[in-house]
């Protein structure tokens, strides 16, 4: 029971601290109700801390409440110094949360104890003194009530809202549910196969009903794992503010599409690579105010994050209106490292791709902000581990865009089962543009391109790519799939297309985990194993 309370409080307090940070940043921008929101979050934190016996946190939040009341009484806008101090107080709340144990249920603890008896640390008290200095007020005794009118007005609005019709569920339970649904999908596929081989019509009807119910359950369970991208994007507001101050730059962060939903595992996996892209844009991309004015730009740089649905994927774009990437400089650096031939004439896209090579940089100095040993090669690897793809677009002097295409979910997919000799493969249904049949090419002919409806499409020979040695001669015909990934098309040939198949992605082992062109495996109803094709990775092979 106590462990459940710890989990629930950890989830709630994290949300409350995030809300405090967002309110402080909004307060700095002059939002009218931001102070009321901040007070409401502090009040919620104080009450929750008292319930679980975290007296030090309860006392600190209570003290912060009084200062917020004083700020309201002063009736003046919160300047940068005030918001710096408020953010420091919010950070102290997080530090106390990490340091102080939950004592609810402890037999040696008086639940009747007063929060006023809980000692604050030197760091706690210093953060409050810094806030008093920023507010321009004298320190108040904690027992002293805030001005009645202001305090009661804020307190009236600070009553925590109940979670109407919802409960908090730990991540582990959601993961367990999705795993169970995955197993059920496999069992349902086995039953469907048995029903199709049977002449019993009632069994076939039951199979269709089961298929529909399992499909609905699968959709519901996957929806529970989806989170708005804003859960990740909102954290960059504070980063932008603090880095701009550290770098002596003026930067405005604009976020759109924050309600676009992604699997929580995808959001977690994107946190580090996006953090580096943001740091890189602010450190190397956006210029200092004076340099921007000389270039005919406004003093304040613009940094944008957008998210939008692109079929079964989500496209995330991080853009800045800074100095852009000097492709001539990239070319010279590549020549110095013997990455290009002296007489080579690479395209702009090829030059920009060089930025993702290990240890490749056009900067002569390592920055403490965006260096840190976390290069664009690691960013690219992190995105590809999630089944995504990243590329960069830039115009020198005008700005740079980093574009990430990422799958909506990576747990359960609708696929298309196909066979080459005795090997089984599954293509994600969302990647399939067209299927058709054609005569099989002459043995030994290595096609690089095929023509389809007046368009030349890169062809991937899967037998050659995966080293398949045939046990029997193929037939005269070949069934083709035109697959798409992130705007590019490839052609794949199979002996037989076996039809639609819903499956759970099973991770590959360590030895096969980094095999190009494969994103996972699936267990079929008869116990056979099929490999799930990674169309994005195969598309990169075609390039």
């Amino acid at each position: 029971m106590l462990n459940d309370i710890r989990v629930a409080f950890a989830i709630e307090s994290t949300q409350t601290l995030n809300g405090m940070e967002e309110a402080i940043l909004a307060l700095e921008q002059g939002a009218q109700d931001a102070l009321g929101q901040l007070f409401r979050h502090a009040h919620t934190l104080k009450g929750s801390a008292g319930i679980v016996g975290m007296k030090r946190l309860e006392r600190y939040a209570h003290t912060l409440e009084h200062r917020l009341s004083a700020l309201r009484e002063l009736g003046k806008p919160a300047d940068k110094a005030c918001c710096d101090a408020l953010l420091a107080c919010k950070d102290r709340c997080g530090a106390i949360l990490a340091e102080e144990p939950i004592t609810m249920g402890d037999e040696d603890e008086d639940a009747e104890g007063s929060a006023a008896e809980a000692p604050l640390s030197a760091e706690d008290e210093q953060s409050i003194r810094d806030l008093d200095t920023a507010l321009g007020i004298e320190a108040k005794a904690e027992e002293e009530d805030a001005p009645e009118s202001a305090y009661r007005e804020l307190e009236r609005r600070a009553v925590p809202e109940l979670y109407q019709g919802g409960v908090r569920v730990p991540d582990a339970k959601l993961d367990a549910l999705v795993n169970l649904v995955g197993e059920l999908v496999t069992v349902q596929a086995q039953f469907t196969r048995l029903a199709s081989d049977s002449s019993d019509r009632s069994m076939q009807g039951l199979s269709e009903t089961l298929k529909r119910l399992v499909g609905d359950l699968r959709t519901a369970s996957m929806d529970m794992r989806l989170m708005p991208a804003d859960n990740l994007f909102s954290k960059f507001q504070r980063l932008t503010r603090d880095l701009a101050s550290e770098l002596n730059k003026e930067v405005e962060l604009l976020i759109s599409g924050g309600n676009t939903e992604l699997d929580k595992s995808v959001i977690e996996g994107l946190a580090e690579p996006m953090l580096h892209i943001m740091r890189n844009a602010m450190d190397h991309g956006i210029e200092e105010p004076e340099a921007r004015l000389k270039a005919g730009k406004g003093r304040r740089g613009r940094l944008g994050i957008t998210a939008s649905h692109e079929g079964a994927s989500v496209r995330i774009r991080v853009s800045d209106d800074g100095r852009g990437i000097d492709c001539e400089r990239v070319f010279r650096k590549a020549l110095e490292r013997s990455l290009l031939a002296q007489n080579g004439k690479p395209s702009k896209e090829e030059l920009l791709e060089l930025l993702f090579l290990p240890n490749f940089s056009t900067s002569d100095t390592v920055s403490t902000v965006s260096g840190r040993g976390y290069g664009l090669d690691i960013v690219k690897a992190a995105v590809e581990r999630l089944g995504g793809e990243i590329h960069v677009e830039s115009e020198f002097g005008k700005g740079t865009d980093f574009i990430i295409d990422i799958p909506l979910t990576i747990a359960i997919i609708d696929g298309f089962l196909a066979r080459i000799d005795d090997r089984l493969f599954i293509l994600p249904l969302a990647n399939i543009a067209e299927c058709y049949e054609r005569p099989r090419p002459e043995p030994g002919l290595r096609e690089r391109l095929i023509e389809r409806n007046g368009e030349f499409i890169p062809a991937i020979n899967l037998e050659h790519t995966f080293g398949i040695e045939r046990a029997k001669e193929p037939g005269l015909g070949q069934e083709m799939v035109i697959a798409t990934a992130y705007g590019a098309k490839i052609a794949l040939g199979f002996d037989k297309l076996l039809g639609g198949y819903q499956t759970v992605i099973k991770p590959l082992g360590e030895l096969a985990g980094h095999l190009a062109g494969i994103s996972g495996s699936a267990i079929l109803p008869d116990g056979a194993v099929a490999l799930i094709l990674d169309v994005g990775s195969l598309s990169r092979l075609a390039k």
Side-chain angles (χ1 to χ4, degrees):
M1 178 65 180
L2 186 58
N3 186 60
D4 290 340
I5 292 173
R6 286 193 180 101
V7 171
F9 179 67
I11 295 172
E12 178 182 300
S13 57
T14 299
Q15 293 173 340
T16 301
L17 290 176
N18 289 340
M20 288 177 70
E21 183 171 292
E22 291 173 11
I24 295 168
L25 295 175
L27 181 65
E28 188 174 35
Q29 298 299 318
Q32 290 186 345
D33 193 41
L35 182 57
Q37 292 176 11
L38 179 57
F39 189 96
R40 185 157 54 246
H41 289 306
H43 189 88
T44 299
L45 187 64
K46 180 185 76 171
S48 300
I51 290 173
V52 298
M54 298 182 75
K55 296 300 182 183
R56 176 183 162 202
L57 181 57
E58 181 186 11
R59 178 179 176 183
Y60 187 86
H62 176 73
T63 304
L64 181 57
E65 272 188 318
H66 278 273
R67 299 311 191 267
L68 294 174
S69 299
L71 177 59
R72 178 64 175 265
E73 188 72 9
L74 288 172
K76 66 177 185 180
D79 58 15
K80 183 178 183 301
C82 173
C83 290
D84 282 341
L86 286 171
L87 286 169
C89 289
K90 174 263 170 183
D91 291 342
R92 281 312 307 161
C93 289
I96 297 170
L97 185 65
E99 296 167 4
E100 187 179 14
I102 290 178
T103 58
M104 180 180 181
D106 192 328
E107 294 179 0
D108 296 331
E109 180 71 20
D110 184 4
E112 300 294 326
S114 170
E117 300 170 3
L120 298 180
S121 71
E123 292 86 354
D124 301 340
E125 293 175 342
Q126 183 60 52
S127 65
I128 295 296
R129 285 195 294 270
D130 291 342
L131 180 57
D132 289 338
T133 300
L135 293 175
I137 61 175
E138 296 181 3
K140 297 184 176 185
E142 290 180 31
E143 293 77 13
E144 178 188 345
D145 283 335
E148 183 71 15
S149 59
Y151 187 84
R152 291 305 171 198
E153 179 186 351
L154 286 171
E155 187 178 49
R156 207 168 33 246
R157 299 161 63 189
V159 178
E161 297 178 359
L162 296 176
Y163 282 81
Q164 298 292 336
V167 293
R168 294 189 181 94
V169 181
D171 288 348
K173 291 185 177 181
L174 282 179
D175 292 340
L177 174 63
V178 171
N179 287 336
L180 288 172
V181 172
E183 298 299 328
L184 188 59
V185 166
T186 302
V187 172
Q188 174 262 315
Q190 292 173 333
F191 184 75
T192 298
R193 180 169 181 172
L194 288 174
S196 65
D197 294 338
S198 171
S199 59
D200 188 336
R201 293 198 174 187
S202 62
M203 185 177 181
Q204 293 171 355
L206 185 61
S207 170
E208 288 300 314
T209 302
L210 179 62
K211 183 177 181 180
R212 176 177 56 80
L213 291 175
V214 170
D216 291 345
L217 179 60
R218 171 241 175 157
T219 300
S221 64
M222 292 306 301
D223 284 347
M224 291 169 65
R225 284 174 58 98
L226 296 179
M227 300 169 60
D230 214 24
N231 281 28
L232 173 62
F233 296 168
S234 61
K235 294 177 173 60
F236 296 125
Q237 292 281 7
R238 173 80 179 273
L239 171 77
T240 302
R241 177 191 184 276
D242 292 350
L243 269 186
S245 179
E246 181 180 340
L247 296 168
N248 295 316
K249 296 180 179 180
E250 297 178 15
V251 183
E252 177 184 17
L253 177 62
L254 303 173
I255 296 175
S256 64
N259 59 346
T260 304
E261 291 188 318
L262 281 163
D263 191 289
K264 72 177 184 66
S265 60
V266 174
I267 286 182
E268 291 164 359
L270 282 175
E272 279 295 326
M274 281 199 62
L275 179 63
H276 177 76
I277 292 173
M278 296 285 291
R279 284 174 174 158
N280 189 70
M282 294 190 66
D283 192 13
H284 300 306
I286 295 177
E287 311 94 331
E288 292 75 11
E290 293 74 18
R292 290 182 61 85
L293 290 174
K294 289 181 181 178
K297 302 178 181 179
R299 288 180 57 87
R300 175 173 289 191
R302 293 167 67 90
L303 186 59
I305 306 177
T306 62
S308 60
H309 284 291
E310 301 282 339
S313 300
V314 170
R315 170 162 289 186
I316 297 172
R317 183 183 294 264
V318 181
S319 57
D320 68 74
D321 67 346
R323 56 176 57 95
I325 297 170
D326 185 350
C327 286
E328 287 294 327
R329 185 173 177 81
V330 174
F331 182 73
R332 292 195 299 271
K333 288 285 184 179
L335 287 179
E336 290 174 11
R337 292 186 51 184
S338 301
L339 297 173
L340 296 172
Q342 290 290 338
N343 58 350
K345 294 182 179 180
S347 66
K348 180 179 179 180
E349 290 74 19
E350 289 171 328
L351 286 172
L352 292 174
E353 279 295 310
L354 295 176
L355 297 174
F356 294 102
L357 293 178
N359 302 316
F360 187 91
S361 175
T362 58
S363 178
D364 295 322
T365 59
V366 176
S367 165
T368 58
V369 172
S370 58
R372 309 189 183 192
Y374 201 92
L376 288 178
D377 60 316
I378 302 178
V379 170
K380 184 180 179 71
V383 170
E384 290 180 352
R385 275 197 301 273
L386 296 170
E389 189 171 83
I390 182 171
H391 68 278
V392 60
E393 297 174 355
S394 184
E395 188 170 351
F396 188 51
K398 294 189 176 181
T400 301
D401 288 15
F402 281 91
I403 300 155
I404 299 173
D405 290 300
I406 207 83
L408 182 65
T409 181
I410 56 174
I412 302 176
I413 63 167
D414 288 311
F416 210 83
L417 191 62
R419 176 174 56 80
I420 298 177
D421 198 52
D422 58 352
R423 310 298 174 89
L424 295 170
F425 300 92
I426 292 176
L427 285 110
L429 201 59
N431 293 121
I432 297 177
E434 180 188 4
C435 300
Y436 67 96
E437 189 173 2
R438 69 167 188 172
R440 184 175 295 276
E442 292 294 326
L445 177 65
R446 292 286 299 278
E447 290 181 298
R448 302 293 185 183
L449 296 170
I450 67 166
E451 190 272 336
R452 181 67 177 166
N453 298 326
E455 181 180 6
F456 288 97
I457 301 172
I460 296 288
N461 186 319
L462 295 178
E463 293 181 50
H464 176 76
T465 300
F466 298 130
I468 297 174
E469 295 184 3
R470 285 187 172 272
K472 55 187 177 183
E473 289 296 320
L476 298 177
Q478 186 179 39
E479 300 201 36
M480 301 296 295
V481 173
I482 304 299
T484 63
Y486 315 127
K489 290 183 178 181
I490 56 173
L492 305 171
F494 298 92
D495 293 348
K496 186 70 176 175
L497 299 179
L498 302 173
Y501 189 80
Q502 188 181 87
T503 188
V504 183
I505 298 178
K506 298 288 185 182
L508 296 169
E510 283 293 322
L511 290 177
H514 300 288
L515 183 64
I518 300 296
S519 61
S521 61
I523 300 174
L524 303 183
D526 60 0
V529 175
L531 295 177
I532 300 171
L533 295 176
D534 180 352
V535 177
S537 177
L538 290 171
S539 178
R540 288 191 292 273
L541 284 178
K543 292 181 182 178

